[in-house]
Amino acid sequence: MRRIPLLLALTLALGACGPKAPDAAAPSATEPTDFIFAETDISDLQTRMQKGELDSRTLTQAYLDRIAAIDKTGPTLNAVIEINPEALKEAALRDVERKTNSVRGPLHGIPILLKDNIGATPMANSAGSLAMKDFRPKTDAFLVRRLREAGAVILGKTNLSEWANFRSTRSTSGWSGRGGQTRNPYALDRNPCGSSSGSAVAVSANLVVAAIGTETDGSIICPAAMNGLVGLKPTVGLVSRDGIIPISFSQDTAGPMTRNVSDAAYLLTVLAGRDNADPATANTAWNTTLDYHSHLNADGLKGARIGVMRSKLSIHPDAAAAMEVAIKTMREAGATVVDAEIPTDGQWSDDENTLLLYEFKAGLERYLQKHDAPLKTLSQLIGYNQQYPTSEMPFFGQELFEQANAKGGLGEMEYISARSRARRLAGPEGIDAALKAQRLDALIAPATGPAWVTDPLTGDHFPGAGYGAAAVAGYPSLTIPMGSSNGLPLGIVFMGAAWSEPRLIELGYAYEQLTGARMPPQYLPSVTVARKPAR
């Protein structure tokens, strides 16, 4: 989740142990310039393996070496919370299959990292909490089974904002008791956003070619944008949530975090699937044979009608300037771009807060009990944090835990009414109404502003977001790099109606091919903010 207070902290959904705050003055190590797989993608890696120039075990070892070199030492990004002890074994098995002409698909032999709220044997599934550091689910999450069946190698787990940023109203994104503070690779004193902080940083820093994040409200889109990535949040129900530590069954989903749209499409094709253990997937309006990669159309903007949400340009002046360039690029590519607004924008905020508090308690306790976790109720987790405040609450508390714990069951009228209103205002009366009013294919806005300086004492200084409606409605959103502000990445977000992933991929891919705005990180200790002259 990446929102901020329960009006600003709920507007924020938004390894080593111990409460380590980031050291803003810490120098960066020299970034290795000769990493052979820097900025490569899945297609290139598959081509090398098909030609016999590379095997999965060598690739996996290279990523493990890089994690040791710049994640655990050097710049010390703290993106990876745990390595899969069987990663090299999995890679070797994929190599044997390749030699016997048993390649399973585009992900065969490709290492993938998972956010540490997604169950994957034999690793812990902790949501970053020390209370869960020894909890090892007996089975893989459904999406992990899909990845393994497709031939992917599970490299390990990534750090995250503890409990996916649903613990405190003034939390620090990217910090967890178990993993410490994840650092933005563009400027180490800057925040990576969250809650899929480690997944974003790992891909941006070339610790892996691709990762999986999860989102309730911005937890894929915000860290992807702030780390120069493509992030795809699918329609709720396209990807099973079974085996994932939840916040909200109304809004939760997992999705790809990659360096380009092509890789996101490869991953989404594998992740999407009906699962009897997640009732939301039973209503999916997709065909199981659908290949999202087939929607990589370089002319995808030609003839498109796109609405730019002008009110969101106030998030940051550099984001507004980058959006104007993006609009010009789209028009030159044959798109019609018009001003548009969501008529109900923001009217769902209070109701979203209410439904999240109710659904978090119910869903979390169901997960803990189903998977035989060591602690089985929210009250027990609150008690654990109170017992170990030095390691679990050195910088911020657990106000959201306490507020959720005070709520009743899902039969409460307060919850039922809030859920109905939030989804209606964001979906049919929000995004759908805006699209219908001007016959639009998608809405666009800045994803958010540039990364802020990490501040463990007062929490996140969140600039605002353009993605909230899609999160609350359960509709898809896609962020693409679009520029920078003082060397810090900026992203544009495309939002569409439910199940419109194919069209968003067409639009996003065409935009990406025209701009090539992704820039590798520099691992600077900090950045100098250019002062604009007074007018």
Side-chain angles (χ1 to χ4, degrees), residues 5 20 30 35 46 53 102 116 141 146 179 193 243 247 286 306 309 371 451 454 460:
K20 296 180 291 185
T30 301
F35 183 56
Q46 282 296 343
E53 301 171 355
S102 300
D116 188 33
R146 300 273 295 184
C193 200
I247 291 177
W286 46 268
I306 298 172
M309 296 195 293
H371 294 276
T454 296
D460 290 337

Side-chain angles (χ1 to χ4, degrees), residues 42 104-107 142-143 146-147 149-150 212 232 234 238-239 255-256 261-274 286-296 501-502 505:
I42 291 171
R104 305 183 187 199
L107 295 188
F142 181 82
L143 73 83
R146 300 273 295 184
L147 287 168
E149 288 165 2
I212 308 300
L232 201 166
L238 187 64
V239 177
V261 177
S262 174
D263 285 358
Y266 275 135
L267 279 171
L268 187 62
T269 297
V270 170
L271 295 177
R274 184 172 283 108
W286 46 268
N287 185 328
T288 54
T289 62
L290 181 61
D291 177 8
Y292 290 102
H293 207 259
S294 67
H295 291 273
L296 302 181
E501 284 86 351
I505 287 170

